[in-house]
Amino acid sequence: MAEKSIVFFDIDGTLLTEEKKLPASTREAIFTLKEQGHEVAIATGRAPFMFEDIRNELEINTFVSYNGQFVVLNGEVIYTNPLNISSLEKLTEEALQKKHPIVFMDHEDMKANVPEHSYIRESIDTLKIEQFPTHDPDYYKDRDLYQTLLFCPEGEERYYESKYQDFDFIRWHPVSVDLLPKGGSKAKGIEKIVEKLGIPKEKQYAFGDGLNDIEMLRSISNSVAMGNGKEEVKVAAKYVTKSVEDDGILHGLRMLELL
């Protein structure tokens, strides 16, 4: 097992282009990695139901979803880290007063606490997924939630950050913020997988481009930022590859001498 490497890939801006396309070179590179006996996994902020098609296409059964809050190894759930519901209820009440909608998310579905809102449509549409949140303001009750989306203009999340200490807030869109359990991250989720597999640090690799990838890239010994990534992401990584549209995954894997 020690000879085997594991490579974690973010999805948006890493596996997929801005148009949500999977480059042919990326697909070929991932299957070559697997043929060589390496473990290939996904590490994303998306919900499991938001990337089932990618998992099926790439035949990947190990993933870190919800930025580390719902972790699956070879098709089996091995770790979950749900949100504090009492704190979420208070935040939701206050957000409603400020006309900031919320989308509640568990491992199977997502529900909005308002019937409709332009911010929800604007941000979710960029993911180019089939699912869209329907209305259920009580969806947070009697179930575990692993992430919530707070919809507000840039900067307005700072009020919630100062008041709600049970959560971390990570912006992923100009009008939307991921709301996570405090201290939760892709890095924490990855730890659960590599511990189970017994793969040492020097055999761990990760590719990412966004703000929610920073802790992952800092914690993984062989980390790679995409050329299209934000500057603070590139600073966090050990290496920088080309952009996703310019065969960045293939280039990065060759740079790491995994291919």
Side-chain angles (χ1 to χ4, degrees), residues 11-217:
I11 294 179
D12 300 288
T14 300
L15 288 178
L16 299 184
T17 66
E18 188 174 346
E19 293 74 33
K20 307 307 175 188
K21 302 294 185 183
L22 179 72
S25 64
T26 297
R27 187 181 189 281
E28 183 178 347
I30 285 174
F31 277 99
T32 301
L33 273 178
K34 293 196 292 183
E35 287 166 7
Q36 292 178 352
H38 300 302
E39 293 279 350
V40 177
I42 286 173
T44 180
R46 289 192 184 206
F49 55 83
M50 287 182 174
F51 62 102
E52 188 175 0
D53 55 341
I54 302 169
R55 299 201 306 273
N56 290 338
E57 181 176 355
L58 297 177
E59 299 176 13
I60 294 175
N61 299 309
T62 296
F63 60 86
V64 172
S65 63
Y66 280 135
N67 288 311
Q69 317 322 309
F70 192 88
V71 180
V72 171
L73 174 59
N74 296 323
E76 177 187 352
V77 180
I78 63 168
Y79 175 73
T80 61
N81 183 31
L83 293 162
N84 182 307
I85 295 300
S86 62
S87 294
L88 179 62
E89 186 172 18
K90 293 173 186 174
L91 184 149
T92 300
E93 291 173 359
E94 195 160 12
L96 270 176
Q97 295 171 8
K98 294 178 176 293
K99 298 187 174 5
H100 292 157
I102 296 283
V103 168
F104 306 113
M105 309 176 82
D106 66 2
H107 63 294
E108 295 179 323
D109 208 349
M110 55 181 171
K111 301 288 185 179
N113 70 336
V114 295
E116 58 182 41
H117 196 285
S118 61
Y119 285 177
I120 298 177
R121 174 65 66 182
E122 178 184 341
S123 56
I124 298 294
D125 278 355
T126 65
L127 297 174
K128 300 190 187 313
I129 57 176
E130 293 183 5
Q131 304 92 334
F132 192 81
T134 53
H135 182 220
D136 184 353
D138 295 326
Y139 197 68
Y140 68 90
K141 296 179 178 178
D142 303 319
R143 72 182 70 242
D144 285 337
L145 300 178
Y146 304 105
Q147 185 166 287
T148 287
L149 302 180
L150 169 66
F151 297 86
C152 62
E154 290 188 66
E156 293 189 21
E157 72 273 19
R158 296 194 189 104
Y159 170 80
Y160 300 98
E161 289 174 342
S162 66
K163 187 168 182 179
Y164 294 94
Q165 304 300 313
D166 288 332
F167 307 125
D168 283 333
F169 299 81
I170 301 177
R171 184 163 290 278
W172 66 277
H173 186 275
V175 297
S176 187
V177 175
D178 288 335
L179 191 157
L180 307 170
K182 190 73 174 179
S185 70
K186 292 184 182 183
K188 295 285 177 60
I190 285 172
E191 283 179 11
K192 305 300 178 181
I193 291 174
V194 296
E195 284 171 6
K196 286 270 189 181
L197 294 177
I199 297 178
K201 275 192 168 293
E202 62 270 18
K203 295 290 184 178
Q204 298 171 24
Y205 300 81
F207 287 72
D209 73 297
L211 297 179
N212 62 339
D213 294 317
I214 288 177
E215 189 169 347
M216 172 180 76
L217 296 177

